């Protein structure tokens, strides 16, 4: 059921005022104990709501997204608001401009309520790597909210926001969506502009909507998509219509990766539930193929090699000169070093050090170029697969969410928990988490630029599983 359509009708029919709608959600966000909010945009949100109410009062028509409250992961620029990346370094940094994706939502009339808690600079899988306190899971608050877009997923799951905009580099929208039982889409790389999204690993960073229905994902995706001269990796895409994704009769073959399911690290219940879902799909007459793929360890190490290299390079600009919380030292070099040592989290520093090692002379051929080469092989393997199957299905995570505190004790386990999401990121493919099939959901993936097919199959599974 589309929350956006439901609220739109209520607003139009004057069953609720936008001011009350916004105020209620702001109250929920403010009082919530899940640590989902870094800053509340109450003043601007209420001012915007008032304008929507005036329009309705005047008998003017309002657009579908007009007056719909949403949340923004705290890594997006929104002019005049704090954009902290949940870090000490940018604790007091205010956005001088607005990200393209967010601007498009504003132009459509949607109302931002909060900048949402996340792992600092997107570094993490649990939303514990943040100066604002660990995000608590929407269903079991003693568990993590997932990450890095944990605050965004929890806000949607708890109905604090109607939808939220997360960011996905290696699973950060899909995994928290799975952990909190909502939908989360990582579109094809380049479908939505990254301009104004703080860069983590630029070659896989994607803007991704989190919502409670496929229809809401579709609506928000359409609004944010499109070519942007400020991000030259973007491309022009076709709007996905509601009708086009209703019937899935052109989906004939579905594949899944054998080694994901046979891996000894997978939770036995997730494995059993995934196989039950596969059996149900087979029973509808769709052909199911078990495919070969790279081992989890290879996927995770390739992803982290490249992601660390890119983040080390991207974050090198944060030295306290143009941005961030500067701490003066004896001389300039000292100032850089103290500013960065004191203000980056342990996890971010680990990645910066690792990334600089990967890129350094004498190591880069051995590590970085090997990573790039493996990425090409992964892409080729996907191309081959999509000649045989229309869709690839996979669990979102090998395990259920850990307890708060546990991931910090076992970092390798945390990195390995990304095993099922990072491969699709390296392939730059469209992939969606649906809250069905296993306790942490299922991931539906299609070939590049085929986001429509992903949503179509999600609709089909809604009735099948
Ligand atoms: N957990 C992965 C990482 O830490 C993915 C994070 C993300 O997509 N931002 O890199």
């Amino acid at each position: 059921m589309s929350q956006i359509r439901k609220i739109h009708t209520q607003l139009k029919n004057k069953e609720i005022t936008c001011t009350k709608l916004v105020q209620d959600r702001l109250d929920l966000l403010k009082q919530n104990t899940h640590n989902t909010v870094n800053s509340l945009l109450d003043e601007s949100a209420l001012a915007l709501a008032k304008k929507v109410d005036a329009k309705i009062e005047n008998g003017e028509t309002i657009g579908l997204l007009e007056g719909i409250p949403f949340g923004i992961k705290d890594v997006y620029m929104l002019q005049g608001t704090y954009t902290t990346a949940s870090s000490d370094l940018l604790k007091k940094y205010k956005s001088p401009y607005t990200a393209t994706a967010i601007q498009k939502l504003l132009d459509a009339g949607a109302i931002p309520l909060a900048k949402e808690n996340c792992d600092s600079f997107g570094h993490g899988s649990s939303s514990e790597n943040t100066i604002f306190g660990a995000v608590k899971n929407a269903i079991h608050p003693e568990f993590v909210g997932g990450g890095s877009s944990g605050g965004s997923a929890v806000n949607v799951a708890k109905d604090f926001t109607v939808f939220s905009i997360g960011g996905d580099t290696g699973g950060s929208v899909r995994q928290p969506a799975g952990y909190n039982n909502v939908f989360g889409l990582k579109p094809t790389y380049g479908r939505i502009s990254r301009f104004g999204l703080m860069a983590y690993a630029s070659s896989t960073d994607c803007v991704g909507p989190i919502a409670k229905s496929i229809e809401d994902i579709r609506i928000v995706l359409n609004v944010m998509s499109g070519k942007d001269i400020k991000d030259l990796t973007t491309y022009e895409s076709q709007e996905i219509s509601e009708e086009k994704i209703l019937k899935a009769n052109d989906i004939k073959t579905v594949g899944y990766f054998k080694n994901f399911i046979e891996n000894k690290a997978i939770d036995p219940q997730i494995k059993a539930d995934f196989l039950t879902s596969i059996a149900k799909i087979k029973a509808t007459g769709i052909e199911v193929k078990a495919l070969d793929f790279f081992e989890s360890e290879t996927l995770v190490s390739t992803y982290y090699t490249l992601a660390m290299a890119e983040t080390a390079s991207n974050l090198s600009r944060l030295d306290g000169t143009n941005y961030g919380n500067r701490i003066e030292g004896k001389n300039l070099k000292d100032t850089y070093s103290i500013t960065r040592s004191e203000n980056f989290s342990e996890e971010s520093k680990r990645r910066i050090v690792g990334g600089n090692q990967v890129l350094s002379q004498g190591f880069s051929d051995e590590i970085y170029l090997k990573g790039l080469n493996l990425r090409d092989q992964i892409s080729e393997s996907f191309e081959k697969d999509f000649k045989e199957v229309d869709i690839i299905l996979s669990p979102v995570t090998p395990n259920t969410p850990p307890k708060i505190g546990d991931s910090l004790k076992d970092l390798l386990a945390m990195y390995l928990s990304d095993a099922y999401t990072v491969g699709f990121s390296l392939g730059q493919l469209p992939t969606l988490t649906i809250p069905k099939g296993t306790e942490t959901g299922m991931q539906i993936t299609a070939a590049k630029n085929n986001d429509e097919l992903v949503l179509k199959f999600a609709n089909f599974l809604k009735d099948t599983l």
Side-chain angles (χ1 to χ4, degrees):
M1 165 77 184
S2 162
Q3 298 293 312
I4 295 176
R5 287 193 186 281
K6 188 175 121 201
I7 296 172
H8 175 67
T9 309
Q10 288 172 335
L11 286 171
K12 241 179 22 185
N13 297 346
K14 300 190 186 170
E15 287 159 36
I16 45 163
T17 65
C18 190
T19 304
K20 166 129 176 58
L21 167 74
V22 164
Q23 187 64 61
D24 285 352
R25 305 270 176 153
L26 285 170
D27 291 344
L28 290 171
L29 284 164
K30 199 168 184 171
Q31 289 154 12
N32 100 80
T33 53
H34 291 255
N35 290 332
T36 59
V37 178
N38 290 359
S39 57
L40 206 59
L41 310 173
D42 38 3
E43 261 179 50
S44 54
L46 286 167
L48 288 169
K50 236 173 146 178
K51 284 192 191 157
V52 176
D53 281 334
K55 249 177 120 170
I56 297 170
E57 267 318 304
N58 279 339
E60 290 175 51
T61 49
I62 55 162
L64 188 55
L65 276 182
E66 231 168 316
I68 304 293
F70 74 107
I72 305 174
K73 183 180 183 180
D74 204 7
V75 288
Y76 286 95
M77 300 295 159
L78 172 62
Q79 196 170 31
T81 66
Y82 288 107
T83 302
T84 70
S86 296
S87 70
D88 271 318
L89 194 65
L90 298 178
K91 201 161 46 184
K92 300 206 181 84
Y93 178 73
K94 275 195 174 169
S95 313
Y97 61 92
T98 299
T100 301
I102 304 300
Q103 188 60 52
K104 287 186 170 197
L105 292 169
L106 299 182
D107 292 346
I111 300 182
L113 299 188
K115 302 297 277 292
E116 300 170 316
N117 201 358
C118 56
D119 284 301
S120 194
F121 298 103
H123 296 159
S125 313
S126 63
S127 294
E128 293 173 284
N129 173 27
T130 157
I131 61 163
F132 294 98
V135 175
K136 297 181 186 168
N137 190 281
I139 308 147
H140 304 289
E142 66 281 18
F143 295 160
V144 302
S148 62
S149 313
S152 311
V154 172
N155 281 340
V156 171
K158 301 287 285 180
D159 290 318
F160 300 157
T161 58
V162 177
F163 65 89
S164 284
I165 305 304
D168 191 312
T169 304
S172 277
V173 159
R174 290 162 283 154
Q175 185 256 41
Y179 277 3
N180 295 286
N181 271 310
V182 291
F183 292 87
L185 174 72
K186 183 197 93 61
T188 301
Y189 179 81
R191 189 179 182 101
I192 304 178
S193 168
R194 286 174 293 117
F195 179 74
L197 160 62
M198 252 181 230
Y200 167 12
S202 311
S203 71
T204 61
D205 285 347
C206 289
V207 177
I210 299 174
K212 276 203 159 163
S213 66
I214 300 159
E215 179 59 359
D216 288 350
I217 294 276
R218 185 192 71 82
I219 294 168
V220 176
L221 172 70
N222 277 338
V223 170
M224 292 193 296
S225 299
K227 203 171 169 61
D228 178 13
I229 52 159
K230 293 175 185 146
D231 173 0
L232 293 176
T233 62
T234 51
Y235 63 93
E236 205 57 70
S237 52
Q238 277 211 331
E239 175 147 333
I240 300 172
S241 73
E242 195 181 357
E243 300 73 47
K244 264 196 182 155
I245 59 167
L246 283 183
K247 281 219 183 73
N249 35 18
D250 52 341
I251 298 172
K252 306 252 188 286
T253 320
V254 168
Y256 72 93
F257 295 133
K258 241 180 343 216
N259 61 320
F260 276 13
I261 305 308
E262 281 159 13
N263 194 314
K264 53 187 182 319
I266 191 171
D267 176 286
Q269 194 59 49
I270 292 187
K271 176 177 176 167
D273 292 344
F274 182 79
L275 291 173
T276 306
S277 304
I278 288 286
K280 284 185 189 161
I281 292 167
K282 255 189 199 159
T284 68
I286 288 180
E287 187 188 354
V288 176
K289 286 188 181 171
L291 304 165
D292 292 317
F293 196 46
F294 292 82
E295 286 308 321
S296 298
E297 287 74 9
T298 311
L299 296 170
V300 170
S301 33
T302 304
Y303 166 76
Y304 275 100
T305 299
L306 299 177
M308 286 190 188
E310 291 187 36
T311 203
S313 158
N314 277 325
L315 294 182
S316 62
R317 77 189 74 152
L318 298 183
D319 56 15
T321 306
N322 293 314
Y323 317 95
N325 192 15
R326 181 183 176 97
I327 304 174
E328 293 293 339
K330 287 193 296 290
N331 51 43
L332 187 61
K333 211 169 152 196
D334 213 33
T335 298
Y336 290 162
S337 126
I338 302 175
T339 297
R340 288 170 64 83
S341 308
E342 297 291 317
N343 282 317
F344 278 124
S345 67
E346 290 305 307
E347 184 58 31
S348 294
K349 280 190 272 192
R350 204 165 9 251
R351 293 177 186 216
I352 292 169
V353 171
N356 284 327
Q357 169 86 358
V358 164
L359 292 171
S360 61
Q361 208 174 15
F363 289 97
S364 63
D365 286 6
E366 189 73 24
I367 319 176
Y368 183 65
L369 295 187
K370 195 168 167 194
L372 288 180
N373 181 287
L374 271 162
R375 193 223 308 254
D376 289 345
Q377 290 181 39
I378 291 167
S379 295
E380 279 163 26
S381 166
F382 281 131
E383 268 172 41
K384 197 172 81 322
D385 288 340
F386 284 115
K387 288 198 179 107
E388 281 189 49
V389 301
D390 303 308
I391 289 286
I392 294 174
L393 264 187
S394 127
V396 179
T397 58
N399 295 96
T400 53
K403 274 220 168 87
I404 290 178
D406 284 358
S407 303
L408 304 175
K409 286 184 220 141
D410 188 352
L411 293 170
L412 193 61
M414 182 181 83
Y415 298 152
L416 281 169
S417 76
D418 295 333
Y420 300 161
T421 51
V422 293
F424 302 123
S425 296
L426 291 169
Q428 304 189 326
L429 306 177
T431 164
L432 171 78
T433 288
I434 57 165
K436 280 208 159 235
T438 83
E439 194 180 327
T440 61
M442 290 221 288
Q443 234 180 146
I444 303 173
T445 307
K448 251 187 203 174
N449 306 344
N450 225 340
D451 305 55
E452 183 177 294
L453 202 69
V454 167
L455 297 183
K456 198 188 267 189
F457 198 61
N459 260 333
F460 171 77
L461 287 189
K462 201 168 65 182
D463 307 323
T464 311
L465 297 182

